[in-house]
Amino acid sequence: MNLDPTDPEGSIARAAKASSNWGRWGADDVLGTLNHLDEAKRREGAALVRRGVSFSLSQRFDMNGPQKGWRRRTNPVHTMLDTGTDAALGNQGFPHGIGGADDVISMPLQCSTQWDGLGHIFDHGKAWNGRPAERVVTSDGDLVTGIEHMASHVAGRGVLLDVGRTIGADGVSGADGTAGTTATAGTTAAAGELPDGFAVTEAHLTATAEAQGVAIGRGDIVLVRTGQLARVRRDGWGDYAGGPAPGLSFTTAGWLHGSEIAAIATDTWGFEVRPNEFEHAFQPLHQVAIPHIGLLIGEMWDLDALARDCAADGVYEFWLTAAPLPITGAVGSPVNPIAVK
Amino acid sequence: MNLDPTDPEGSIARAAKASSNWGRWGADDVLGTLNHLDEAKRREGAALVRRGVSFSLSQRFDMNGPQKGWRRRTNPVHTMLDTGTDAALGNQGFPHGIGGADDVISMPLQCSTQWDGLGHIFDHGKAWNGRPAERVVTSDGDLVTGIEHMASHVAGRGVLLDVGRTIGADGVSGADGTAGTTATAGTTAAAGELPDGFAVTEAHLTATAEAQGVAIGRGDIVLVRTGQLARVRRDGWGDYAGGPAPGLSFTTAGWLHGSEIAAIATDTWGFEVRPNEFEHAFQPLHQVAIPHIGLLIGEMWDLDALARDCAADGVYEFWLTAAPLPITGAVGSPVNPIAVK
Amino acid sequence: MNLDPTDPEGSIARAAKASSNWGRWGADDVLGTLNHLDEAKRREGAALVRRGVSFSLSQRFDMNGPQKGWRRRTNPVHTMLDTGTDAALGNQGFPHGIGGADDVISMPLQCSTQWDGLGHIFDHGKAWNGRPAERVVTSDGDLVTGIEHMASHVAGRGVLLDVGRTIGADGVSGADGTAGTTATAGTTAAAGELPDGFAVTEAHLTATAEAQGVAIGRGDIVLVRTGQLARVRRDGWGDYAGGPAPGLSFTTAGWLHGSEIAAIATDTWGFEVRPNEFEHAFQPLHQVAIPHIGLLIGEMWDLDALARDCAADGVYEFWLTAAPLPITGAVGSPVNPIAVK
Amino acid sequence: MNLDPTDPEGSIARAAKASSNWGRWGADDVLGTLNHLDEAKRREGAALVRRGVSFSLSQRFDMNGPQKGWRRRTNPVHTMLDTGTDAALGNQGFPHGIGGADDVISMPLQCSTQWDGLGHIFDHGKAWNGRPAERVVTSDGDLVTGIEHMASHVAGRGVLLDVGRTIGADGVSGADGTAGTTATAGTTAAAGELPDGFAVTEAHLTATAEAQGVAIGRGDIVLVRTGQLARVRRDGWGDYAGGPAPGLSFTTAGWLHGSEIAAIATDTWGFEVRPNEFEHAFQPLHQVAIPHIGLLIGEMWDLDALARDCAADGVYEFWLTAAPLPITGAVGSPVNPIAVK
């Protein structure tokens, strides 16, 4: 796919048309590319559990998170309804020595490790499957493709593409990765990390899979590690939420469609490379991937512990369960993805 | 175990002493019975994926939930930060036709399908492992055993005990179940449902497992279906949140400890039978199970679809992933448990 | 004004046209009838402070409030960030013996004693002053007439019309009140209370003012006591939130406009009589009063203590300050109105 | 009063003893210094309304506020339950053309313009009037001195002390102000603003009152303008929330007590000078003023518009209504104070 930086609107329209899955699973579809994830794929995935070791791919949800308030996205506020101090002091009114603690949370559904629901992004007023955005997501939430419909589906074969480790900070390890490199001056990427502004192309993804000795197939859940989360964990959040970041190139739209993957997730705030590759654009790959491909996209996943294990044993495939909370009408969901090898 | 209805405090103390796991996994333990769930158990669990079919065991999270405000436990309030209507009307200020929807939730962590964390219940000011409650859970949350520590652990072999279907509304199917029956007059339990006030004893659990042809072992995650959720789904919530309900008898404390299960969950609000079996007691089995056994307890799970499938194919064991959201310092977590057969 | 119960749409349109203030205070107006409240009126109001006694006209904000969840309107959830128990136990980390308590609230802005902002109600897609609703209130809030614009204005002369006490449960005290009576069978209104379903007409308002010996003038803030809050305080909330209630008749639209009052408030959930006087209508007087008259409407005020004092000293006018919280873009605000006599 | 910077604990203890009002208004008191504000004072205050002009002394409540997340104090999150865009698109299901907008807020009660309640601060485990902190403020809120008790009281005579304008950036205007000056290097205070770190002493307060020609008496509500809010409005919030700031010197404790004022408020985050005047202390004047004096303290008030008016007409006294929202059990409240001259 070619990309004309001066023509975002045309490029987006061409990619949307080329990658569209509208109607592919019927007019009533609410699952998008999760349709690729079938029972055979689950059997294949479960067979990957060889050692029995499990990994959480979630960041912790607390006030020390990445959000800075952009568009009212805050970090989670967790407060207590009852505490052990009150229990210890006999303030609770329960009989026979029992005491309790309870709690409450207030948080944006996309404040940390998450899935974007199908109602999260629109293109020119159209939601997934060509529906009018204003009929899908109102103040009452996503009336059609709410994330609750995905509740039972997101369990299958996961594949890690550790692009950070394989392609590395210089973008030249093994493949023609340099073509996509647009690293921002001033970032300091350590070994195993792509610099901010690095656009991950199909060539990088393919080279990484080859170097790792793993193949990606229809129905897989693909996890792309850039290393940015490791960097901000070391250096501070900075502009992790919305600032420069490595990520998928807009040119991967065709691969995202043609590979027939079920879902994809990264360790970055916004999945795609930032600054975006067009002048004045805002998340153009989202604009193609969610409403047109119907692709389930994960963001801010913590892939570091899993990646270390994969590097150690050379196995980059695993059983992955990443079930969204079935919040009725939600356009996103926090998630604690569990990989088991 | 004998139960003296007139001596809750003594009965609780005896059960606590008999079932205590304090110190079993060291002074620093933050996992409790999840220590029983090891890598071998995960390999055993994963081998149970034969068909590749998956089930969500979660209720939907919305305003139509079971909560009625007791101790400020409300149903989830889900609001939108951005909508498709605004996107369609061009109100969002994004370039090139992209539009978005975002959302926020405010909810008690134990408002619907959930895990109780180890910091949820205390006995006479003592939390799990004998720690002083006031040093564990303050207004800043659970500083020691916050549910984030369990993030990667809850994936293994699940076993459904469909006591509702096997023992049934009359409590006499196959075993000495009548001993535990204290059904409340006036409830109308349909086939496959235990009546409210029905105390599920070890004998019921054993008889159910035998009737189903399934064995429970160390490290399993046991799901006990009473049928109450099916009933309230049919008849309305009524007093589901805190009112009369079928559930585990206090006398199962010894079994919960001795069976070395990793976790247990029910389709009821409060896990144990209600009214509780003592005069004026409040959740006495919690008082033993959480601080003394260190048991992970799930509540308000929706086991009906899974139970129908198990009844159809006669297989009551499966791979189960039920990872809490790693909310730092939380004493509970909503969860979307996924069973795969 | 005549009211045809079978023609809500036509009646609303006629009343809207007859009562419109669109353009009266310029195209940029964000204050509506608060324009009637001028400095002379404030001087007049302040002169009414003779004894120096003050009254709060607010209900308490807590979980025991009137809301039942309709359209996600819940009661306020108040939680603590720090407590005295933690302070007493030395859990807070502050030096030299200082301890603190902090708190948080989550609540609909119209959950209890409140003002409706000018962006609260639209008529056929038009907001106050004829603006397109979709350009005024988006997911980002009220971009034009947010309640913050009223921050400094709502202080002036208040007048209590205790219709409950004057007209009474039978609706016949002194005036032709029976014309508006449509009391719902089954309610039991005590002395000083209008029954549910009682429509307060201009004649009732006028008769009450005359009986009380008070005149209403331009720029006044009028408080209409029906007595319903006293009733539900005695009998339980029941359907206070949205159910049958006494309240202003649709036919008062002309008086609300012609009297040139600055604002009006009642002790009921919805200001106007319920059931509404048309078949299948929903708050038709709101539909005229807010977008067309630009009238500031208060609801769920607690007028009982003030009313007792007024009955005792015969003085029904006072200095009233009822400043909304200046929440940017809000379409309503909780308020603690203070009357001083 | 002397201040020994090396002995915070002793200094606090001495000031607490010297200024204590414990028991002054009986063992059951829940009002503290609001007891000084009586009906005569309200009559005196109302007589100050000469022009009829009103001023809101509140900042706007929104995401652009001062909070930075310290101790989970965030800025308010305001979201919509219904919008004009949905109304315009006919998404709401109401009859006859009526549409509506509704909203929700989630916020710390002390996130912006506010009152500190009597349960906000403790000294060595003691709350106002000598009560044990752990019996006053639990996870259920302030069970004794909740701010709802103040609902009707805070209306009376207000006096502005514009210390910023009178004493000025150099701290030498007219009085022996230099003694208290501990300005932090690097701040740039414009005319009319005290520099950060400037400790306002009794001498400064007295000199300001004299220069302004106004007297302070028993029961007054005193507003102290430092000018810091004007500075951060110009320069950005920076460390307004908790960083260096001008404010009351610890040495004013005796004056706060002896003057018998009913309440006091400033335009700063924390009322007293920061850094605090002791080594390693945290808000030592709060520790005396709230639990021992029982003083109602306001923070983050916006006094600038009022101050400009006072400077213009030379009148620094006015009628002030600053009623907290009666949130049951709250230890603080947002407030929109209204001054009328």
Side-chain angles (χ1 to χ4, degrees), chain A residues 184-234:
Chain A
T184 301
T187 65
T188 306
E193 300 170 12
L194 300 177
D196 292 338
F198 185 102
V200 177
T201 64
E202 180 178 344
H204 292 119
L205 298 172
T206 303
T208 299
E210 285 179 11
Q212 294 179 175
V214 71
I216 289 175
R218 177 172 176 272
D220 284 342
I221 302 166
V222 178
L223 313 182
V224 177
R225 183 184 169 279
T226 69
Q228 192 201 17
L229 183 61
R231 180 158 62 248
V232 295
R233 188 175 280 140
R234 187 178 64 239

Side-chain angles (χ1 to χ4, degrees), chain B residues 53-276:
Chain B
V53 61
S54 66
F55 300 88
S56 165
L57 311 183
S58 176
Q59 296 189 44
R60 292 188 176 185
F61 288 76
D62 56 39
M63 288 290 288
N64 299 316
Q67 302 299 330
K68 300 189 295 183
W70 179 77
R71 295 185 87 83
R72 287 172 287 168
R73 284 194 193 162
T74 63
N75 290 309
V77 177
H78 172 234
T79 57
M80 303 307 295
L81 296 168
D82 286 297
T83 65
T85 50
D86 281 317
L89 290 167
N91 283 334
Q92 300 188 320
F94 293 122
H96 310 313
I98 191 172
D102 249 38
D103 40 14
V104 152
I105 204 157
S106 182
M107 67 175 177
L109 293 175
Q110 308 200 3
C111 64
S112 185
T113 306
Q114 57 157 109
W115 283 121
D116 286 352
L118 289 177
H120 176 50
I121 296 291
F122 317 108
D123 179 22
H124 290 84
K126 296 297 180 188
W128 160 241
N129 226 19
R131 299 181 180 100
E134 72 271 21
R135 294 291 158 196
V136 177
V137 187
T138 73
S139 295
D140 287 328
D142 185 330
L143 308 174
V144 180
T145 46
I147 211 156
E148 71 276 14
H149 296 289
M150 296 181 169
S152 68
H153 290 270
V154 196
R157 178 181 184 246
V159 177
L160 175 70
L161 294 182
D162 191 346
V163 184
R165 198 172 304 243
T166 301
I167 304 300
D170 55 3
V172 295
S173 305
D176 62 340
T178 48
T181 305
T182 59
T184 301
T187 65
T188 306
E193 300 171 13
L194 301 177
D196 292 337
F198 186 101
V200 176
T201 65
E202 180 179 344
H204 293 120
L205 297 172
T206 304
T208 300
E210 285 179 10
Q212 293 179 175
V214 71
I216 290 176
R218 177 173 177 270
D220 284 342
I221 302 166
V222 177
L223 312 182
V224 177
R225 182 184 170 279
T226 69
Q228 192 201 16
L229 183 62
R231 180 159 63 249
V232 296
R233 189 174 278 141
R234 186 179 64 238
D235 296 345
W237 286 116
D239 286 327
Y240 179 80
L248 275 283
S249 169
F250 181 79
T251 61
T252 61
W255 182 86
L256 293 173
H257 174 253
S259 62
E260 298 191 329
I261 58 173
I264 188 167
T266 67
D267 57 350
T268 64
W269 173 83
F271 172 62
E272 54 189 295
V273 63
R274 291 184 61 81
N276 300 131

Side-chain angles (χ1 to χ4, degrees), chain A residues 54 62 73 102 152 319 328, chain B residues 54 62 73 102 124 152 319 328:
Chain A
S54 67
D62 56 39
R73 284 193 193 164
D102 250 40
S152 69
W319 173 247
T328 306
Chain B
S54 66
D62 56 39
R73 284 194 193 162
D102 249 38
H124 290 84
S152 68
W319 173 249
T328 306

